[in-house]
Amino acid sequence: MELLTHPVGVSHFLVVGAVLFIAGVVCMAVKRNALGILMGIELVLNGANINFVAFSSELLNHDSSYRLGLDGQLISLFVIVLAAAEAAVALAITLNFYNNHSTVDVDRADELKG
Amino acid sequence: MDAINWHSLFFLLFAVVACGSAVAVVVATNIVRMALCLIVSLGATSGLFFLAGADFVGSMQLMIYVGGTLVLLIFGVMLTAQGPFISMRTGGGDWIVAVMLSGCLAALLVPAAFSVVAWRNQPTVAVDAHADQHAADERGATAKIHQVSEVGTHESANDAAAVSFEGDQIGEGRPRTSTHIGLGLLGARVDRLQPGSADLKPGMAGYLLPFELVSVHLLVVLVGAAYLARTKRRAKPQREA
């Protein structure tokens, strides 16, 4: 159990971010519920946030020339705020779609197909 | 056997919870269960942020994501619920393509994460040495602020910043990041101050303009969402699925 006795580095955080990103991409690809696709987008943004925070952390990057500094944390804050805005407007669109079609199945949103 | 590294232990705990819940979000077919798994995953992610030393981002993750965005999502689930247990099944072909896609992405990303030597773990001694170095940097920056405030016009403001800056240390080690982030959003990067030089360096300008942009963006988006989501008419019953 080397992982339990040695300190973790940026790589381990990157692996967690990659797992969240992949889960979000698959969630966006396979879900037919519009709210499920929204949850996939949230997972992708969180994976990106983990990477930003890991690169900005001074606990994990001991060599200061590789460190992102406080910029990574500021960017992840912006990502959180933009994710909140995106969730609000996407939820409003989903509610409108539900009002018009009585379903949230994105496969039914094919009126513009051509 | 070496002693257990508690940082790594808690990292492993939070990482397993976050990844497991993220996978559970993907494989769950019930939308309410998906939302619950997403809450657990995002909470564990905020724990990872705390472990990486980003305390302000972690608490913002808890407040905005878990407290705000997910409540919004659950309200969406409730407002669009057509029955007690809705499940929209996905076809087998879609699952095969998705698993192939995710396998390729994992084969690309996971070796890439371990391919750079500087990103791997390093001995524990370096942490303490670096903490001391950082504390020395902080003291230098504080002295620099005092020096600026003596010649600057905004003496009282700079003094207040310097005082809060001094009282911002947790014990002996690392400082809290909230003061730095707040001043960075207002356009002053106190974490980039170099002791002994009076002029601004490139990259010290801070994030005032993106902060204003994201504020106006949030206002416009929320007004637009409220406009979009208001009820206009009832859905026609013959279009029902």
Side-chain angles (χ1 to χ4, degrees):
Chain A
M1 291 299 285
E2 190 191 339
L3 192 56
L4 281 183
T5 53
H6 288 264
V8 292
V10 181
S11 302
H12 303 85
F13 277 80
L14 292 190
V15 168
V16 180
V19 169
L20 256 66
F21 177 81
I22 292 167
V25 167
V26 174
C27 194
M28 280 196 282
V30 303
K31 294 293 176 191
R32 288 172 60 202
N33 196 329
L35 293 164
I37 293 177
L38 262 180
M39 293 177 191
I41 296 173
E42 306 287 332
L43 279 178
V44 166
L45 292 172
N46 260 280
N49 261 350
I50 287 180
N51 286 8
F52 275 126
V53 169
F55 278 121
S56 79
S57 170
E58 60 205 21
L59 286 176
L60 308 172
N61 296 287
H62 307 302
D63 190 356
S64 63
S65 60
Y66 291 107
R67 202 190 307 144
L68 205 54
L70 211 55
D71 295 311
Q73 299 188 19
L74 283 159
I75 291 172
S76 62
L77 281 178
F78 285 130
V79 169
I80 289 177
V81 171
L82 289 180
E86 169 261 349
V89 77
L91 193 65
I93 291 173
T94 306
L95 281 180
N96 243 347
F97 181 70
Y98 179 72
N99 280 339
N100 288 331
H101 294 259
S102 298
T103 183
V104 284
D105 189 352
V106 290
D107 286 349
R108 300 271 313 266
D110 54 358
E111 286 182 356
L112 286 178
K113 72 180 173 189
Chain B
M1 173 169 171
D2 298 334
I4 287 181
N5 191 328
W6 290 101
H7 189 267
S8 300
L9 180 68
F10 277 102
F11 167 79
L12 203 62
L13 188 69
F14 282 128
V16 165
V17 172
C19 296
S21 310
V23 174
V25 168
V26 179
V27 299
T29 51
N30 185 3
I31 186 73
V32 181
R33 200 158 292 154
M34 281 173 63
L36 278 177
C37 291
L38 191 64
I39 288 180
V40 174
S41 178
L42 297 188
T45 307
S46 83
L48 287 179
F49 289 169
F50 284 121
L51 283 183
D55 44 7
F56 187 72
V57 180
S59 50
M60 281 303 111
Q61 166 99 0
L62 274 183
M63 285 168 67
I64 298 179
Y65 252 123
V66 184
T69 307
L70 278 174
V71 169
L72 206 65
L73 267 180
I74 289 173
F75 264 101
V77 169
M78 290 195 297
L79 285 173
T80 59
Q82 299 136 314
F85 286 103
I86 304 288
S87 66
M88 296 181 193
R89 300 273 173 194
T90 314
D94 287 352
W95 272 112
I96 291 172
V97 172
V99 167
M100 279 173 53
L101 173 77
S102 62
C104 291
L105 267 176
L108 189 70
L109 289 176
V110 174
F114 283 99
S115 64
V116 179
V117 182
W119 294 349
R120 291 188 202 147
N121 50 6
Q122 278 149 7
T124 324
V125 191
V127 177
D128 300 327
H130 183 77
D132 290 346
Q133 172 66 29
H134 190 83
D137 284 350
E138 292 298 318
R139 281 191 288 275
T142 311
K144 166 72 180 158
I145 285 186
H146 275 302
Q147 179 191 338
V148 169
S149 72
E150 282 168 9
V151 295
T153 52
H154 304 288
E155 281 191 22
S156 57
N158 275 328
D159 272 343
V163 165
S164 67
F165 207 50
E166 274 174 346
D168 206 26
Q169 309 276 341
I170 302 175
E172 292 289 317
R174 298 180 328 98
R176 291 189 209 110
T177 57
S178 53
T179 310
H180 297 183
I181 286 178
L183 286 172
L185 285 178
L186 291 180
R189 294 294 303 270
V190 287
D191 58 317
R192 289 251 178 113
L193 277 180
Q194 300 288 331
S197 70
D199 48 359
L200 282 174
K201 287 192 165 31
M204 268 189 64
Y207 282 84
L208 183 57
L209 181 63
F211 180 60
E212 291 294 329
L213 284 178
V214 84
S215 315
V216 176
H217 176 88
L218 196 58
L219 176 69
V220 170
V221 158
L222 289 182
V223 170
Y227 172 74
L228 274 179
R230 75 202 164 115
T231 50
K232 298 185 188 74
R233 60 175 190 274
R234 286 296 305 154
K236 299 185 186 70
Q238 70 264 21
R239 307 279 307 262
E240 203 162 333

